[in-house]
Amino acid sequence: MSISKFSSTYARLAAAPAALLAPVAAFAQDAATTAAPAAAAAAPAMTVDKGDNTWMLISTVLVLLMTIPGLALFYGGLVRAKNMLSVLMQVFMITAVVMIIWVTYGYSLAFTDGGSLNSFVGGFSKAFLAGVDTTTLSETFTKGVAIPELTFVCFQMTFACITPALIVGAFAERIKFSAVMLFVVLWVTFVYFPMAHMVWFWGGPSSYTSPSGLIFSYGALDFAGGTVVHINAGIAGLIGAIMLGKRTGYKKEIMAPHSMTLTMVGASLLWVGWFGFNAGSNLEANAYASLAMINTFVATAAAAVSWCLVENFTRGKASMLGAASGAVAGLVAVTPAAGFAGPMGSIVLGLIVSPVCYFFVDVVKNKFNYDDSLDVFGVHCIGGILGAIGTGILVNPALGGAGIVDYSTADFAAAIRARRRRSSLS
């Protein structure tokens, strides 16, 4: 499929949801404006800890490190030398473009109330960061504890940047820069922002009965983005790879990575930055951030070892590519579980995810003959699915998990279940 046909097809697909979202967004904006005085009057007193804010600022920079230079070098080393600059440019400019979109309307669509009839996407009440300044706060997962809203905006912005950048690995080496930019603008608008809203938006521990995102209201556990980031990006990558078709010379020419040195450096930067990704998603510098940190250590290590063991049995020896791939698979799998599983459960998760991802990368891709250039679907989507399912198991305290965290009262979980039942009956 040509680039122009791909862009035209995607644009037509995007037109329908745009038409549907327009009246909903307008309604949400009106509802938010009407409800603003009442919400302000009911807002509880919040305290801000400088340590929490410092940790979140550091975490934000760490997530940026994951993207540029981490992901850029990881992908750049995996492609052929002639295409490295193209991949670096794509990742770098995706980061820049999404930052502008995020503060223009992305943050508002993801993290504002879309109205009582809309749990799919937010409104435009904070478009252009209206009402967000040095005095506004975002509540953390502890009742009455907050961080500056500008800090939260920046932290979530880095998530919005890295997610579409992950996708380009699926159709690397065969797409024009202009087509990538058009795709990213459309995708974050009609896919990422609504998904972030559905999974992560809620009223906070001081107002947990307020309207929330659709998937959050179902009780989904996604600590740092297994669903929003990895499954989301992996599926988009697979569809993009199939729509664009295979690279010229696919399975006829050698398309080996041109620099495993750069790939190793990129994978290492991803691992370092991922501590901001996972431990930072706790929003506070407390014991749950420490739990997310140790889980990010051990799950990644276990997955790297596991992938190398699989390679040793199937190919006779382990490889640097396998070690890096395993580490990324482990990072992906532990992302939704980071603040819920225990360290031993995270090790088990890491040991399991690599053989599963290896099977999809080595067997399934060849069986169905799709050209996922850098195995975005096989590692990110499959690893994210396994991690999401594993989170629901490993959160059990009987397996060393943290249990369902009490975000406000002893009846928090019961309140969520009751609200979900009320929603299903209405």
Side-chain angles (χ1 to χ4, degrees):
M1 180 180 289
S2 67
I3 300 302
S4 60
K5 188 175 180 182
F6 171 69
S7 301
S8 176
T9 302
Y10 197 90
R12 287 197 300 271
L13 291 174
L20 292 173
L21 284 175
V24 173
F27 171 82
Q29 186 176 11
D30 293 340
T33 302
T34 303
M46 297 288 172
T47 60
V48 178
D49 185 278
K50 290 183 179 179
D52 290 339
N53 191 45
T54 300
W55 167 238
M56 291 309 301
L57 293 174
I58 293 172
S59 295
T60 300
V61 174
L62 285 172
V63 181
L64 178 62
L65 179 75
M66 289 173 64
T67 315
I68 48 174
L71 182 67
L73 291 177
F74 180 72
Y75 278 176
L78 289 174
V79 298
R80 289 167 287 181
K82 64 179 182 179
N83 294 314
M84 181 177 182
L85 185 59
S86 172
V87 171
L88 295 179
M89 179 65 170
Q90 289 173 19
V91 174
F92 192 92
M93 288 309 299
I94 285 172
T95 303
V97 168
V98 174
M99 283 181 179
I100 302 303
I101 295 174
W102 180 252
V103 297
T104 303
Y105 62 86
Y107 174 69
S108 188
L109 288 179
F111 290 103
T112 64
D113 184 1
S116 59
L117 299 179
N118 178 24
S119 58
F120 294 94
V121 69
F124 291 101
S125 59
K126 292 188 178 181
F128 298 96
L129 298 187
V132 179
D133 56 34
T134 56
T135 65
T136 56
L137 304 174
S138 290
E139 194 172 24
T140 67
F141 296 108
T142 301
K143 190 173 183 178
V145 176
I147 57 174
E149 188 172 10
L150 286 171
T151 300
F152 184 72
V153 170
C154 291
F155 182 65
Q156 288 295 338
M157 179 173 66
T158 58
F159 280 65
C161 291
I162 195 171
T163 307
L166 290 171
I167 298 172
V168 300
F171 38 74
E173 301 192 299
R174 62 190 190 278
I175 187 169
K176 288 183 177 179
F177 175 75
S178 57
V180 170
M181 293 298 106
L182 173 61
F183 168 80
V184 166
V185 172
L186 294 171
W187 189 83
V188 296
T189 301
F190 297 111
V191 180
Y192 181 82
F193 301 151
M195 183 61 72
H197 180 86
M198 286 190 283
V199 176
W200 283 335
F201 178 73
W202 66 311
S206 293
S207 185
Y208 60 82
T209 56
S210 298
S212 62
L214 180 68
I215 300 175
F216 181 91
S217 70
Y218 291 160
L221 301 177
D222 187 1
F223 192 78
T227 302
V228 179
V229 177
H230 299 291
I231 299 176
N232 206 9
I235 291 175
L238 176 65
I239 294 172
I242 293 172
M243 290 182 67
L244 281 173
K246 302 176 184 64
R247 287 168 288 181
T248 302
Y250 180 65
K251 289 189 175 181
K252 296 178 182 178
E253 301 175 7
I254 297 175
M255 297 182 178
H258 89 279
S259 176
M260 283 311 305
T261 301
L262 290 177
T263 294
M264 184 272 173
V265 171
S268 301
L269 288 170
L270 281 170
W271 194 349
V272 172
W274 223 289
F275 291 107
F277 201 79
N278 284 356
S281 290
N282 188 62
L283 302 183
E284 300 174 51
N286 60 22
Y288 285 101
S290 301
L291 177 64
M293 176 168 283
I294 193 169
N295 286 340
T296 305
F297 272 119
V298 297
T300 310
V305 171
S306 180
W307 195 296
C308 287
L309 288 174
V310 172
E311 277 192 332
N312 192 62
F313 284 120
T314 58
R315 300 184 177 182
K317 64 177 182 178
S319 68
M320 183 66 249
L321 177 58
S325 299
V328 173
L331 289 165
V332 169
V334 79
T335 293
F340 298 117
M344 298 305 108
S346 296
I347 291 175
V348 172
L349 189 62
L351 292 174
I352 293 174
V353 71
S354 284
V356 176
C357 289
Y358 183 92
F359 176 76
F360 273 84
V361 167
D362 191 59
V363 178
V364 174
K365 184 171 77 169
N366 289 324
K367 175 68 175 179
F368 290 94
N369 200 33
Y370 57 86
D371 184 12
D372 180 358
S373 305
L374 307 182
D375 296 312
V376 175
F377 175 76
V379 174
H380 290 275
C381 183
I382 300 303
I385 291 172
L386 193 145
I389 295 172
T391 300
I393 299 170
L394 297 174
V395 69
N396 190 341
L399 299 176
I404 303 299
V405 181
D406 178 7
Y407 289 138
S408 57
T409 71
D411 298 324
F412 174 76
I416 291 295
R417 286 194 297 271
R419 180 153 57 91
R420 190 160 64 247
R421 285 196 298 270
R422 289 195 299 271
S423 298
S424 64
L425 293 174
S426 60

